[in-house]
Amino acid sequence: MTHIAKPKFHHPSLPKNKLGLTHRDYEGVVSTLCAGCGHDSVSAAIIDACFRSDIEAHRIAKVSGIGCSSKTTNYFLRQAHGFNSVHGRMPSVATGANLANNSLTYIGVSGDGDTASIGLGQFCHAIRRRLNMVYIVENNGTYGLTKGQFSATNDRNSKGRTGKENPYPAIDLCSLAVQLGAGFVGRGFSGDKEQLVPLIQAALKYRGFALIDVISPCVTFNNHAASTKSFDYVRDHNDVMDRLDIVPHREEITAEYEEGSTVDVTLHDGSQVTLSKIAKDYDPTDAESVLPMLHAERNGGAIATGLLYIDPEEQDLHELMHTSVTPLNSHTHDLLCPGNETLAGINAAHR
Amino acid sequence: MSMEATDVTDPEYFHKVVDCQWACPAHTPVPEYIRLIAQRRYTDAFMINWESNVFPGILGRTCDRPCEPACRRTRVEDKPVAICRLKRVASDYRGDISDRLPKIPTHKNGRHIALVGAGPASLTVVRDLLPLGYECTIIEKAPKGGGLMCTNIPEFRLPVKVLDEEVNRVLDLGAYSRFNEEITSLADLLNEDFDAVFIGSGAPRGKDLSLPGRSEASANIHIGTDFLGSVAFGHTEEIGRRVVVIGGGNTAMDCCRTARRIGGKNVFVTVRSPRSDMKASEWEIDDTEREGIPILDNHNPVEFVLTDGKLSAVVFEKMQAEYDASGKRTLKPTGEPPVVIECDDVLMAIGQENSFPWIERDLGVDFDDHGMPVVDSQTFQSTRPGVFFGGDAAWGPENIIWAVAHGHQAAISIDLHLRDEDLRKRPSPLTNLVSTKMGIHEWAYDNEISNDKRYVVPHTALDDALASLSVEVELGYDERLALAEAKRCLNCDIQTVFEGPRCIECDACTDICPVDCINFTANSEETDLRSRLRVPAENLEQALYVSDALKTGRVMVKDEDVCLHCGLCAERCPTGAWDMQQFFYQETGAQKPQVHAIAE
């Protein structure tokens, strides 16, 4: 890790957002990850996305599990709320927090181990329940914190650093999420912030479960020539499905694109997401066409990236359960704790 | 058309990144000596200075500090590092340097140089040429060496002890001095059979104003530089109670503060132009006002009034500045009633000029229409081979540090001339570029950035300072302040060196850079490229560092403008594509360059 604190001085002409803040106001402490870790780029992308979205950091709650990726919530949004939970149990904590206070924006950061191995069950159920959160998986196909074993997302043809074969097929988190009913499924690459930042911005605006699977190379254990999650491999096999343009509250869009069609999606808050599809024949709003596409891409050795699937109509957990829209901390004590008489009434109803 | 990759093997590229050193006429390796101060290696810091600028103790008190406005700190914070006063620190706390001075050959090379004037330019030439075996004779009309440093800088700013020590350090290398001798004819001097002549006689003539009453009141109207010289040599010991100083330059500031100490109670500075256009350095104006001397701007003198045949007042008309579309200024009277300031004495400090009545015009030394010698700006040679000019004598009044820079160049030319070599073949600078990496995240320099504001130099209590001409006003930094101030230096000579083939384009450097100066983007022509960076590079004075095309076809572009040289890019780089390398640049003088030990 770096021994010095990041200097406070910033560029005098740094742009400011609508809140009068610079992107540096969204930073956390200096990373203790290996130099060059993809995860640090993802943190930088989250910082940039929150800065561009004019979000107040204290209206965000960061939740994570265990692992290199889960450490990173400390490296962005110093002023946000945070909970670094137990391995694979971040979705439970996020669910509880969300039910108690749905006025915050929830950003979960997890890794391939935390999500696809120990936390796979929690991951699946958070999706099923349509928990309103941005769930970012920093996916490097390896257990970096325990010295580089294959993780459950490591491709079968991807060898270890010492040439060891991987006998198991990979879990494709994006396909799984589409199957389970996630409303927003995207994949990015830590080495392409032009794509990743808008993806996170759109996910932050989306109401419902938004998964972003970010291929984030592990420079120490999985960035070698036989890896399918190295910088070089991902750059060579990256099949960008679309580019995003986010227009808050229906402002006019003037962007133009060279080829492919565009799909406009209006989100719950009226923002518009324009997907410029790049010469691919599938409908990103139709799960039935997305799944075969993902399958074909994977079989063809390509890594499909971009906003892969979006369902603008989906309801989130609060809407499904008719739970309190007002954060519990804003209710009066009388309402939260109505007293013995009411409790006795409830108990009596169950006798 | 895309930008070419930056050629970092060109020493001038990294030299320009070291803004202070680039701005210094003598190209003093500033960050290197500040680092040595931070390590409390004051003697080493002093020698770095002495090699470059000859007068660290004098310049550490009086330099016009072109380095400070250039300091990168002014672009990321507020005030520059107190480079000048740290130079004084090196001088104040140094140890014995006698064994570090150049060895002067006992066998001379048979060539003898005459130098007219014993100011900083001549002394620099002597310092550079004596170690090569030349013999040097300095001819000076004053009874001692130093030139304007001696006669025009009051003792409360520059103690005589410091001045004499630094001047004598040069003379004692073995120069011959002919003091109290005024050269009245260059022809006669040339007949003395010197092998070369260097003219460093300064710009000694103070300008005058011919206004009504000037000649009648002349007993009480003094030319500023003459007055200062006269005080310096003890010829003038007092002045009237009420003094008006005319002029807004540093000489005016010295005049009024001197007057304040030798009897002047009501001292006024008057200047024609608005205050913002005053020529005096900001800090000299501050020091003047701290001593309770009012500065009246927009006051143009029109008449000296006499009462009973003696000066009694100066009449001023009020002026205002008007600027035309191109920003050109004209001063116009406002038409307000004239201002009358009663006074006993007037000091005229409205500029100096050269005067060469002693140079015959038929010697082959050409003069231009303004009466200035025609001097080659690179070689400092006049139109007569073997006759060289430097310092204020060459192109009019400048500061000491320029005279030193001229002296170095003239010495090179004199040496080349006397060896029958081409004067245009200037020696290359001595440069070195070496990694400072000591281990993982350990560097041979302190890369932590200090957030401290510039430290104020302590002053003598006002009453004590005004009580005597010889009490130095500035006390200099104590060691604690000096070390804290030294830590503010951003180490701009520790260069960020990028090795493209190692880069895997992971963005780690871009993400960590505190000032957003590193970019990976498509190449294009410079204007477009500058506009497309993370923060557009709008300071055109500062270069872009562009790499060759990387694996993705993009290039690395670094805007040098506000780089803090904190080394975080190199610390977060997984492949060592970034390295922090110390760049040492030393101008080569006439003497054989003495390679100074770099951070052992």
Side-chain angles (χ1 to χ4, degrees):
Chain A
M1 64 173 281
T2 293
H3 295 163
I4 65 166
K6 186 165 175 174
K8 280 202 276 187
F9 294 135
H10 61 73
H11 197 296
S13 329
L14 215 50
K16 291 186 173 165
N17 65 11
K18 284 182 184 155
L19 302 172
L21 302 174
T22 70
H23 79 82
R24 293 222 40 202
D25 296 320
Y26 289 83
E27 287 178 346
V29 304
V30 173
S31 168
T32 58
L33 297 173
C34 306
C37 181
H39 299 359
D40 287 335
S41 286
V42 181
S43 297
I46 295 171
I47 287 168
D48 201 23
C50 291
F51 161 74
R52 286 168 192 268
S53 304
D54 307 306
I55 293 177
E56 293 169 302
H58 69 274
R59 301 305 301 160
I60 285 184
K62 313 175 285 189
V63 281
S64 62
I66 294 295
C68 297
S69 53
S70 294
K71 289 173 72 180
T72 65
T73 47
N74 200 22
Y75 311 146
F76 59 85
L77 272 54
R78 177 181 282 117
Q79 302 88 341
H81 307 273
F83 199 113
N84 190 190
S85 76
V86 188
H87 205 358
R89 271 59 186 164
M90 174 264 277
S92 297
V93 174
T95 307
N98 189 302
L99 285 174
N101 186 348
N102 80 343
S103 73
L104 299 179
T105 301
Y106 291 88
I107 300 178
V109 178
S110 182
D112 35 321
D114 198 56
T115 293
S117 293
I118 193 169
L120 192 61
Q122 297 244 331
F123 174 68
C124 293
H125 290 285
I127 296 174
R128 270 184 68 238
R129 288 171 180 157
R130 289 131 167 73
L131 183 60
N132 180 13
M133 72 178 298
V134 180
Y135 192 113
I136 295 173
V137 180
E138 298 179 346
N139 186 350
N140 57 19
T142 191
Y143 297 146
L145 219 50
T146 53
K147 303 287 182 281
Q149 299 82 357
F150 296 125
S151 83
T153 63
N154 196 57
D155 293 311
R156 197 171 190 168
N157 59 339
S158 178
K159 292 182 185 173
R161 195 168 58 143
T162 53
K164 200 177 167 190
E165 303 273 348
N166 172 22
Y168 309 116
I171 293 174
D172 179 5
L173 294 171
C174 289
S175 297
L176 188 59
V178 175
Q179 242 166 14
L180 292 168
F184 182 112
V185 177
R187 187 183 283 131
F189 168 42
S190 70
D192 183 359
K193 288 205 201 67
E194 280 176 38
Q195 179 190 48
L196 183 55
V197 172
L199 208 49
I200 298 173
Q201 280 182 268
L204 286 167
K205 286 192 169 297
Y206 184 76
R207 193 164 81 213
F209 191 90
L211 170 72
I212 305 176
D213 176 24
V214 188
I215 312 297
S216 170
C218 172
V219 286
T220 303
F221 294 110
N222 208 10
N223 190 39
H224 49 86
S227 164
T228 60
K229 293 214 167 25
S230 66
F231 280 105
D232 286 350
Y233 187 92
V234 178
R235 286 204 170 103
D236 287 347
H237 296 80
N238 191 349
D239 195 3
V240 179
M241 310 307 284
D242 47 52
R243 288 285 175 190
L244 281 190
D245 202 16
I246 301 149
V247 184
H249 307 297
R250 293 180 180 280
E251 286 167 22
E252 197 186 352
I253 25 172
T254 50
E256 286 175 23
Y257 295 91
E258 284 174 8
E259 55 177 329
S261 58
T262 61
V263 177
D264 293 341
V265 181
T266 306
L267 300 182
H268 303 80
D269 71 346
S271 307
Q272 189 157 327
V273 173
T274 300
L275 279 85
S276 306
K277 289 184 58 206
I278 299 174
K280 285 288 169 190
D281 187 25
Y282 83 100
D283 178 0
T285 60
D286 176 11
E288 295 304 320
S289 90
V290 172
L291 283 170
M293 178 279 289
L294 287 174
H295 189 73
E297 287 278 317
R298 197 165 59 244
N299 282 355
I303 303 166
T305 60
L307 177 48
L308 305 172
Y309 173 66
I310 184 164
D311 173 5
E313 305 297 330
E314 204 195 46
Q315 290 183 303
D316 88 325
L317 183 58
H318 277 278
E319 291 165 304
L320 291 169
M321 291 179 63
H322 307 292
T323 39
S324 173
V325 177
T326 310
L328 298 188
N329 62 11
S330 303
H331 285 300
T332 60
H333 185 263
D334 290 350
L335 191 64
L336 288 174
C337 187
N340 281 340
E341 239 172 74
T342 313
L343 179 63
I346 292 170
N347 284 339
H350 290 285
R351 285 206 173 95
Chain B
M1 205 182 70
S2 295
M3 278 189 81
E4 295 273 319
T6 304
D7 178 14
V8 295
T9 61
D10 174 2
E12 296 311 312
Y13 179 77
F14 281 142
H15 184 198
K16 192 165 180 302
V17 174
V18 195
D19 293 296
C20 47
Q21 187 178 9
W22 177 261
C24 175
H27 301 307
T28 307
V30 175
E32 171 68 359
Y33 83 68
I34 292 182
R35 225 168 12 249
L36 290 168
I37 287 172
Q39 297 166 18
R40 304 173 74 194
R41 289 167 60 184
Y42 303 116
T43 312
D44 294 331
F46 180 86
M47 289 313 292
I48 289 261
N49 271 291
W50 190 75
E51 282 162 24
S52 292
N53 55 51
V54 192
F55 308 106
I58 296 171
L59 288 166
R61 291 168 167 84
T62 63
C63 190
D64 201 47
R65 357 172 163 164
C67 50
E68 291 193 14
C71 176
R72 175 164 278 115
R73 196 109 187 161
T74 62
R75 304 201 292 275
V76 289
E77 198 221 306
D78 182 20
K79 291 198 170 153
V81 175
I83 300 170
C84 180
R85 289 336 187 222
L86 286 173
K87 190 191 304 290
R88 172 174 170 177
V89 165
S91 169
D92 284 355
Y93 298 118
R94 74 179 158 74
D96 179 31
I97 60 157
S98 49
D99 61 343
R100 301 197 186 199
L101 296 177
K103 303 286 174 282
I104 308 302
T106 44
H107 290 285
K108 304 298 176 189
N109 66 11
R111 305 293 190 142
H112 200 145
I113 325 288
L115 302 105
V116 182
S122 294
L123 290 168
T124 303
V125 173
V126 168
R127 204 281 308 258
D128 285 0
L129 290 183
L130 283 175
L132 300 185
Y134 289 97
E135 288 182 275
C136 298
T137 295
I138 293 191
I139 306 156
E140 165 64 52
K141 69 177 173 188
K144 62 189 258 193
L148 293 187
M149 303 191 296
C150 167
T151 58
N152 269 13
I153 302 177
E155 202 182 343
F156 55 84
R157 284 214 293 128
L158 174 59
V160 172
K161 184 172 162 287
V162 175
L163 173 78
D164 288 351
E165 184 179 44
E166 298 213 315
V167 170
N168 291 337
R169 183 177 296 128
V170 175
L171 295 176
D172 292 348
L173 292 175
Y176 309 120
S177 313
R178 283 163 42 181
F179 291 143
N180 295 311
E181 176 179 337
E182 186 166 2
I183 298 286
T184 52
S185 161
L186 179 60
D188 288 352
L189 183 65
L190 292 172
N191 285 335
E192 284 191 50
D193 267 351
F194 287 108
D195 296 291
V197 173
F198 175 80
I199 296 170
S201 52
R205 194 165 71 185
K207 287 185 188 165
D208 202 349
L209 278 178
S210 56
L211 296 176
R214 169 68 182 91
S215 54
E216 295 83 344
S218 63
N220 294 93
I221 299 176
H222 320 279
I223 300 296
T225 50
D226 296 346
F227 166 75
L228 291 173
S230 177
V231 172
F233 288 116
H235 305 318
T236 297
E237 290 174 339
E238 57 178 19
I239 197 163
R241 196 173 56 79
R242 301 166 305 168
V243 180
V244 166
V245 176
I246 297 173
N250 286 339
T251 303
M253 302 301 115
D254 284 338
C255 282
C256 65
R257 295 175 68 193
T258 300
R260 189 77 178 74
R261 285 163 170 78
I262 58 169
K265 292 287 173 242
N266 299 330
V267 182
F268 293 92
V269 173
T270 62
V271 50
R272 287 171 66 210
S273 58
R275 189 193 162 102
S276 54
D277 291 354
M278 278 173 66
K279 289 215 171 73
S281 311
E282 184 194 320
W283 51 91
E284 307 251 339
I285 296 175
D286 289 348
D287 286 348
T288 297
E289 294 192 319
R290 195 177 294 122
E291 295 181 358
I293 301 170
I295 295 174
L296 308 175
D297 65 351
N298 297 317
H299 279 59
N300 184 37
V302 288
E303 187 187 348
F304 298 106
V305 182
L306 285 88
T307 306
D308 302 330
K310 187 173 176 298
L311 177 75
S312 62
V314 188
V315 181
F316 295 89
E317 60 179 350
K318 291 288 290 290
M319 309 295 279
Q320 64 185 19
E322 285 175 13
Y323 299 88
D324 69 12
S326 65
K328 191 174 178 297
R329 188 193 78 178
T330 38
L331 290 176
K332 291 194 174 148
T334 60
E336 291 170 76
V339 177
V340 179
I341 302 179
E342 294 185 356
C343 63
D344 302 311
D345 283 288
V346 164
L347 298 172
M348 199 100 76
I350 53 169
Q352 286 148 259
E353 57 195 2
N354 296 60
S355 104
F356 298 101
W358 54 279
I359 299 182
E360 295 82 353
R361 297 305 194 252
D362 59 356
L363 298 173
V365 178
D366 291 350
F367 284 78
D368 66 14
D369 297 342
H370 305 287
M372 292 295 286
V374 177
V375 181
D376 185 292
S377 62
Q378 188 189 24
T379 66
F380 293 80
Q381 188 168 240
S382 72
T383 51
R384 177 180 167 128
V387 175
F388 299 83
F389 283 79
D392 291 357
W395 292 289
E398 269 288 358
N399 296 290
I400 301 169
I401 190 67
W402 281 103
V404 171
H406 293 177
H408 285 314
Q409 294 304 318
I412 291 169
S413 296
I414 293 169
D415 181 45
L416 291 170
H417 171 70
L418 295 179
R419 289 194 282 116
D420 285 331
E421 290 193 29
D422 183 359
L423 266 55
R424 302 262 165 224
K425 286 200 176 139
R426 315 303 289 180
S428 312
L430 174 79
T431 61
N432 196 10
L433 188 64
V434 61
S435 178
T436 59
K437 198 169 176 67
M438 307 271 285
I440 295 176
H441 307 152
E442 274 187 279
W443 308 97
Y445 75 107
D446 180 7
N447 63 331
E448 192 155 21
I449 305 294
S450 163
N451 293 317
D452 293 0
K453 298 283 178 200
R454 181 178 167 122
Y455 288 90
V456 176
V457 178
H459 278 56
T460 304
L462 189 58
D463 288 346
D464 297 339
L466 292 177
S468 162
L469 266 180
S470 57
V471 171
E472 189 172 13
V473 172
E474 281 197 22
L475 298 172
Y477 285 130
D478 62 28
E479 200 168 24
R480 186 184 62 83
L481 291 174
L483 294 176
E485 182 64 27
K487 204 168 158 28
R488 293 181 71 239
C489 177
L490 295 175
N491 298 289
C492 298
D493 61 337
I494 310 289
Q495 305 287 350
T496 54
V497 180
F498 182 73
E499 205 178 315
R502 285 172 172 265
C503 177
I504 59 169
E505 300 176 64
C506 67
D507 276 359
C509 51
T510 307
D511 295 337
I512 194 70
C513 177
V515 284
D516 289 278
C517 64
I518 301 173
N519 302 265
F520 290 84
T521 186
N523 201 346
S524 62
E525 54 87 25
E526 184 168 350
T527 312
D528 177 59
L529 195 53
R530 280 179 176 272
S531 72
R532 284 193 293 109
L533 302 186
R534 286 167 70 84
V535 183
E538 282 162 356
N539 183 355
L540 302 181
E541 306 264 293
Q542 293 286 323
L544 296 184
Y545 182 175
V546 182
S547 76
D548 280 316
L550 303 168
K551 240 183 205 172
T552 59
R554 301 179 297 174
V555 286
M556 186 291 299
V557 186
K558 181 193 163 214
D559 179 8
E560 298 281 10
D561 187 17
V562 290
C563 170
L564 301 174
H565 298 257
C566 63
L568 285 180
C569 50
E571 292 200 5
R572 298 305 295 166
C573 180
T575 62
W578 285 107
D579 191 22
M580 303 307 293
Q581 300 189 359
Q582 180 171 1
F583 175 71
F584 189 77
Y585 180 105
Q586 190 180 38
E587 282 225 309
T588 309
Q591 60 175 341
K592 273 180 255 154
Q594 296 180 329
V595 183
H596 194 278
I598 300 164
E600 285 154 9

